[in-house]
Amino acid sequence: DYSGNGTMLYRNAFAIAYQYGFTDGDYVISTEIDSLNVERELSCRDEVVRSLDVKLRQDDTFNFYRSRQAETTTTIAEMRQCADLTKLFEDFEDDVQAVNGTFDS
């Protein structure tokens, strides 16, 4: 709001300058907000891409370990069917005791 006892020309010039100031300020604010929003959007996108890359690598690692675990489980099951593990462990313990006995004497 302006007050003055000036002429119509003065009042019009003041109103134009006042309006120009607001318009220019609005433009600057809009431009800066747009710039800030673009920065924020790019930053967010980069974080999502990085997070997705990490998740995909973790998924690959998990799937590798899961397949290795399945292979190992199958191998152990086959070994239990084909071999007498109790006898193998007894023989192993006998061998260990024999070797320890040689070092003790």
Side-chain angles (χ1 to χ4, degrees):
D1 187 24
Y2 60 90
S3 61
N5 292 330
T7 64
M8 187 174 134
L9 183 59
Y10 169 79
R11 286 187 298 233
N12 284 342
F14 183 80
I16 289 170
Y18 197 74
Q19 193 61 33
Y20 176 78
F22 271 110
T23 304
D24 192 45
D26 288 346
Y27 172 76
V28 169
I29 288 172
S30 296
T31 304
E32 290 301 317
I33 287 175
D34 288 346
S35 173
L36 180 64
N37 285 338
V38 167
E39 265 184 57
R40 185 174 41 192
E41 188 176 319
L42 292 174
S43 174
C44 185
R45 184 204 62 199
D46 291 346
E47 288 302 317
V48 168
V49 168
R50 275 194 288 275
S51 297
L52 185 58
D53 287 344
V54 168
K55 184 194 178 306
L56 291 174
R57 281 196 306 273
Q58 288 174 340
D59 287 349
D60 289 345
T61 303
F62 173 75
N63 288 331
F64 171 76
Y65 287 134
R66 185 173 53 187
S67 69
R68 295 295 296 159
Q69 186 268 340
E71 291 172 16
T72 304
T73 301
T74 303
T75 303
I76 290 172
E78 290 171 353
M79 193 169 81
R80 283 185 176 148
Q81 289 176 351
C82 297
D84 182 2
L85 294 180
T86 306
K87 177 71 174 134
L88 285 174
F89 288 131
E90 287 173 358
D91 291 347
F92 176 75
E93 287 177 7
D94 290 344
D95 290 343
V96 169
Q97 288 174 0
V99 168
N100 285 340
T102 25
F103 289 121
D104 290 340
S105 43

